[in-house]
Amino acid sequence: MKEFIHDCVELLPSLVAIIAIIVGYKAWERELRGTTKFNLYMSTLANFYQARDAIVDILRQNVFAGEGKSLAPTNDGDVLRRPEYLHYVYRERYSRHEALFNDIQSQKYAFITLFGPETEKFFAELVGILNDLSSTVAILYDPDQGLCKLKDPTDEERNLIDICRRKLIITSEDQTADSFEFRINTIISNLEMIGESVQKKHKKRI
């Protein structure tokens, strides 16, 4: 019995050390996960802010000299003076920001892993915004199939033209629920609500 007790006493420091290592590892793991979560959240939120600025840039109403020329047909000297030229302007602007939009989608799976599958809707909504933007521009200005080619549109076609043009107009004073800026702002507001708890937990660790 004495030998058993003696052996236990000798093993006790080793057991304590092992327990300390396990506890320390778990604490480190929680810390690492918390830091990873915080960094991913801040990076994703910043990218969505940039996406909002990109969408505003794409839909700018004023066209600078030379915009769209990289995509417009070079063998048509009159294209710059026709409505369908805006098709090339919008496409060129979109291409400037396409890498950002792709970066956001590359963050999707890591984000939903850490913040839950319900957050996938933020990324899906951004894709929806960009698809609606592209299709709206195409409906209005596509040089082959756009409504700008119509010489005598029907009432239904006029209504569609009016809806599409309103969608492409962004003003901070007058935003409708289906406007592109309103929709991206809604995503950002929902992301910011998630961020309140993330930032509180991160501050406690500092």
Side-chain angles (χ1 to χ4, degrees), residues 106-123:
S106 72
Q107 294 177 306
K108 178 175 73 171
Y109 294 108
F111 198 88
I112 63 178
T113 298
L114 290 177
F115 293 95
E118 66 277 5
T119 59
E120 185 176 3
K121 63 186 177 184
F122 303 139
F123 300 88

Side-chain angles (χ1 to χ4, degrees), residues 2 19 33 42 60 97 103 107 116 123-124 137 153 162 183 193:
K2 289 182 179 179
I19 292 171
R33 183 178 174 85
M42 294 303 292
R60 261 189 299 108
H97 303 288
D103 283 346
Q107 294 177 306
F123 300 88
V137 169
D162 184 51
R183 289 164 66 185
M193 284 192 287

Side-chain angles (χ1 to χ4, degrees), residues 125-188:
E125 175 62 11
L126 178 61
V127 171
I129 291 170
L130 298 176
N131 287 342
D132 286 349
L133 191 158
S134 297
S135 61
T136 300
V137 169
I139 289 169
L140 282 173
Y141 302 118
D142 188 285
D144 299 316
Q145 301 176 353
L147 294 174
C148 63
K149 302 288 285 186
L150 296 174
K151 293 182 179 179
D152 188 20
T154 64
D155 289 342
E156 184 177 346
E157 288 167 337
R158 285 194 186 94
N159 185 50
L160 181 57
I161 291 171
D162 184 51
I163 291 170
C164 289
R165 281 184 177 152
R166 280 207 308 272
K167 271 191 170 184
L168 290 177
I169 296 173
I170 297 176
T171 60
S172 56
E173 295 83 12
D174 181 25
Q175 290 190 39
T176 57
D178 65 341
S179 74
F180 299 111
E181 191 177 15
F182 180 90
R183 289 164 66 185
I184 188 71
N185 278 333
T186 301
I187 298 173
I188 290 172

Side-chain angles (χ1 to χ4, degrees), residues 26-169:
K26 289 295 182 182
W28 173 82
E29 188 179 38
R30 285 195 301 271
E31 179 70 22
L32 179 62
R33 183 178 174 85
T35 302
T36 301
K37 195 172 184 178
F38 176 78
N39 290 340
L40 176 63
Y41 169 77
M42 294 303 292
S43 174
T44 303
L45 180 62
N47 277 343
F48 271 94
Y49 282 138
Q50 290 183 66
R52 177 175 60 188
D53 291 344
I55 289 170
V56 171
D57 176 54
I58 292 168
L59 298 177
R60 261 189 299 108
Q61 297 302 296
N62 55 318
V63 179
F64 299 133
E67 279 196 295
K69 280 187 176 181
S70 66
L71 298 176
T74 56
N75 59 349
D76 188 347
D78 293 329
V79 69
L80 300 181
R81 293 188 288 273
R82 295 200 297 269
E84 60 261 37
Y85 180 66
L86 290 174
H87 177 70
Y88 304 111
V89 172
Y90 285 119
R91 279 181 54 201
E92 185 181 83
R93 290 175 181 173
Y94 184 96
S95 66
R96 285 204 303 265
H97 303 288
E98 195 165 12
L100 168 65
F101 300 142
N102 291 337
D103 283 346
I104 292 174
Q105 291 307 314
S106 72
Q107 294 177 306
K108 178 175 73 171
Y109 294 108
F111 198 88
I112 63 178
T113 298
L114 290 177
F115 293 95
E118 66 277 5
T119 59
E120 185 176 3
K121 63 186 177 184
F122 303 139
F123 300 88
E125 175 62 11
L126 178 61
V127 171
I129 291 170
L130 298 176
N131 287 342
D132 286 349
L133 191 158
S134 297
S135 61
T136 300
V137 169
I139 289 169
L140 282 173
Y141 302 118
D142 188 285
D144 299 316
Q145 301 176 353
L147 294 174
C148 63
K149 302 288 285 186
L150 296 174
K151 293 182 179 179
D152 188 20
T154 64
D155 289 342
E156 184 177 346
E157 288 167 337
R158 285 194 186 94
N159 185 50
L160 181 57
I161 291 171
D162 184 51
I163 291 170
C164 289
R165 281 184 177 152
R166 280 207 308 272
K167 271 191 170 184
L168 290 177
I169 296 173

